[in-house]
């Protein structure tokens, strides 16, 4: 697909990898943003090439001088895996009673959740540990083919919304004439990332006035999923950022505050509830259990929810 602003180049020769099928729809969320946003980019004389890499590591970056945005196969996979897991987890959570009731979730008692958590385990090893099975497991859910359930289709829509926000973030770097992270001090790089996050979020929601509309909620789910995907390496090695980028939990907090939603809004409750799920995953990189910095994640929970942080209402038993 070509237009005056975007050119897609599928620089990836693994068309059989399930997540690659999403790439053909990559410009849909970008072309749906408000026309004033697209005009601002076009009137600046900018154009962007979106290029998919056959690389299992999760990676997104922009060449500031050419406007080429690279997205790896691993990023597509992990975004879809996160989207699917988040949806299945939310469905399971809601089936156990109203939000606010004390519950414990054992994945072994919920087959679809068990499969989704196993899929994330594969995705983490595939994209970050560079170990384990390279190809998508045949016996687990995937974006196409053997698993064509409504949850899979919705996961694809959320993946596209997440990818739309990520790509818009990279485009903002070009529009704002930022410098590459290797050329500038850490503090300046972090400020550039905050600026790109802020402008990308504002542009993404431009013209979507009803916070309870399906389009708004899907966009919000996409942004939250994108940040959780960015957080995932932190659950491996304990590095929560702060070098060239803001700490990932802090990015989530800033973006949710920028949306300025009612504390009971579905997107905020969703973000807060997912915290229990992600904290249930062990550290994969050294074989032991990694203790996630509770203060950071609990602060995020306080931002999103009125639930008790010291005495959590929700427990997810690890696999």
């Amino acid at each position: 697909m070509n237009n005056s602003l975007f050119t897609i180049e599928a620089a990836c020769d693994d068309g059989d990898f399930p997540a690659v099928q999403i790439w053909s729809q990559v410009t849909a969320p970008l072309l749906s943003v408000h026309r004033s946003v697209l005009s601002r980019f076009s009137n600046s004389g900018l154009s962007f090439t979106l290029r998919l890499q056959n690389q299992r590591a999760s990676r997104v970056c922009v060449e500031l001088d050419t406007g080429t945005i690279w997205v790896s196969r691993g990023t597509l996979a992990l975004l879809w895996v996160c989207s699917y897991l988040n949806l299945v987890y939310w469905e399971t959570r809601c089936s156990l009673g109203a939000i606010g009731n004390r519950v414990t979730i054992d994945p072994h008692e919920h087959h679809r959740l068990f499969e989704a958590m196993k899929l994330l385990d594969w995705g983490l090893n595939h994209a970050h540990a560079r170990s384990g099975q390279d190809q998508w497991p045949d016996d687990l859910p995937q974006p196409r083919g053997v698993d064509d359930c409504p949850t899979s289709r919705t996961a694809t829509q959320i993946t596209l919304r997440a990818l739309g926000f990520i790509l818009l973030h990279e485009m903002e770097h070009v529009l704002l004439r930022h410098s590459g992270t290797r050329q500038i001090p850490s503090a300046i790089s972090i400020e550039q990332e905050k600026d790109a996050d802020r402008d990308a979020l504002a542009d993404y929601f431009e013209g979507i006035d009803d916070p309870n509309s399906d389009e708004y909620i899907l966009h919000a789910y996409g942004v939250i999923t994108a940040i959780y995907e960015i957080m995932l390496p932190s659950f491996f090695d304990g590095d929560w950022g702060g070098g060239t980028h803001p700490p990932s939990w802090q990015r989530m907090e800033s973006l949710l505050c920028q949306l300025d939603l009612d504390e009971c809004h579905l997107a905020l409750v969703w973000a807060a509830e997912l915290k229990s799920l992600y904290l249930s995953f062990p550290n994969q990189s050294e074989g032991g259990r990694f203790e996630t910095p509770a203060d950071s994640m609990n602060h995020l929970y306080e931002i999103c929810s009125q639930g008790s942080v010291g005495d959590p209402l929700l427990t997810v038993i690890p696999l």
Side-chain angles (χ1 to χ4, degrees):
M1 178 189 300
N2 295 322
N3 55 66
S4 59
L5 193 56
F6 304 106
T7 301
I8 295 182
E9 293 184 7
C12 178
D13 58 5
D14 194 353
D16 292 331
F17 190 75
V20 171
Q21 309 304 313
I22 298 171
W23 188 248
S24 63
Q25 307 170 62
V26 67
T27 60
L30 291 173
L31 294 176
S32 69
V33 301
H34 199 270
R35 59 182 179 275
S36 64
V37 174
L38 295 179
S39 296
R40 184 159 53 86
F41 281 99
S42 297
N43 293 340
S44 299
L46 298 176
S47 61
F48 297 90
T49 299
L50 310 181
R51 184 167 294 170
L52 182 64
Q53 276 187 305
N54 188 8
Q55 179 179 336
R56 64 186 290 176
S58 182
R59 175 177 180 263
V60 180
C61 64
V62 61
E63 295 177 2
L64 295 168
D65 55 340
T66 66
T68 299
I69 302 176
W70 294 86
V71 180
S72 72
R73 182 188 80 171
T75 295
L76 285 183
L78 212 47
L79 283 174
W80 193 89
V81 166
C82 287
S83 299
Y84 183 82
L85 172 61
N86 294 349
L87 284 169
V88 172
Y89 168 75
W90 182 249
E91 291 169 3
T92 304
R93 171 70 183 94
C94 292
S95 73
L96 295 175
I99 302 300
N101 293 342
R102 185 180 304 278
V103 296
T104 297
I105 297 178
D106 185 350
H108 294 88
E109 297 177 358
H110 302 272
H111 178 69
R112 292 180 67 229
L113 180 60
F114 180 82
E115 285 192 331
M117 292 178 75
K118 291 293 289 183
L119 186 61
L120 181 60
D121 183 69
W122 166 80
L124 285 167
N125 281 288
H126 178 269
H128 290 301
R130 322 284 206 278
S131 63
Q133 183 178 347
D134 184 56
Q135 292 303 312
W136 200 290
D138 291 334
D139 59 339
L140 294 178
Q142 54 184 275
R144 63 173 178 83
V146 297
D147 192 87
D148 194 28
C149 69
T151 304
S152 294
R153 292 194 293 271
T154 305
T156 297
Q157 290 304 309
I158 293 177
T159 298
L160 287 168
R161 293 327 196 276
L163 192 57
F165 172 74
I166 291 171
L167 293 173
L168 198 54
H169 169 99
E170 300 300 335
M171 291 165 60
E172 301 287 359
H173 278 306
V174 179
L175 184 65
L176 294 168
R177 302 186 183 281
H178 283 164
S179 301
T181 55
R182 296 179 181 177
Q183 305 166 0
I184 55 176
S186 173
I188 296 177
S189 176
I190 288 175
E191 287 305 311
Q192 288 188 166
E193 295 300 329
K194 290 180 178 179
D195 289 345
D197 271 352
R198 182 195 61 240
D199 288 5
L201 192 76
D203 284 348
Y204 209 27
F205 286 85
E206 179 74 25
I208 308 177
D209 299 322
D210 181 3
N212 296 310
S213 67
D214 289 346
E215 190 67 11
Y216 192 105
I217 291 172
L218 272 175
H219 269 46
Y221 280 6
V223 172
I224 292 166
T225 298
I227 300 300
Y228 268 118
E229 191 271 342
I230 291 170
M231 280 184 177
L232 284 176
S234 307
F235 292 92
F236 260 91
D237 55 23
D239 180 5
W240 290 83
T244 59
H245 291 64
S248 50
W249 66 269
Q250 202 174 73
R251 296 179 75 179
M252 177 82 84
E253 173 192 337
S254 297
L255 291 168
L256 291 175
C257 287
Q258 185 179 336
L259 286 176
D260 194 27
L261 296 170
D262 182 273
E263 66 188 24
C264 295
H265 190 276
L266 187 58
L268 296 190
V269 176
W270 199 62
E273 290 289 329
L274 287 173
K275 170 211 168 191
S276 296
L277 173 67
Y278 282 86
L279 290 183
S280 73
F281 278 87
N283 175 28
Q284 308 269 336
S285 60
E286 297 176 356
R289 179 167 298 284
F290 169 65
E291 241 177 86
T292 307
D295 289 345
S296 298
M297 293 299 286
N298 283 341
H299 185 50
L300 167 63
Y301 193 74
E302 286 180 309
I303 294 294
C304 301
S305 168
Q306 296 304 301
S308 170
V309 174
D311 186 19
L313 294 173
L314 179 62
T315 302
V316 180
I317 298 175
L319 290 177

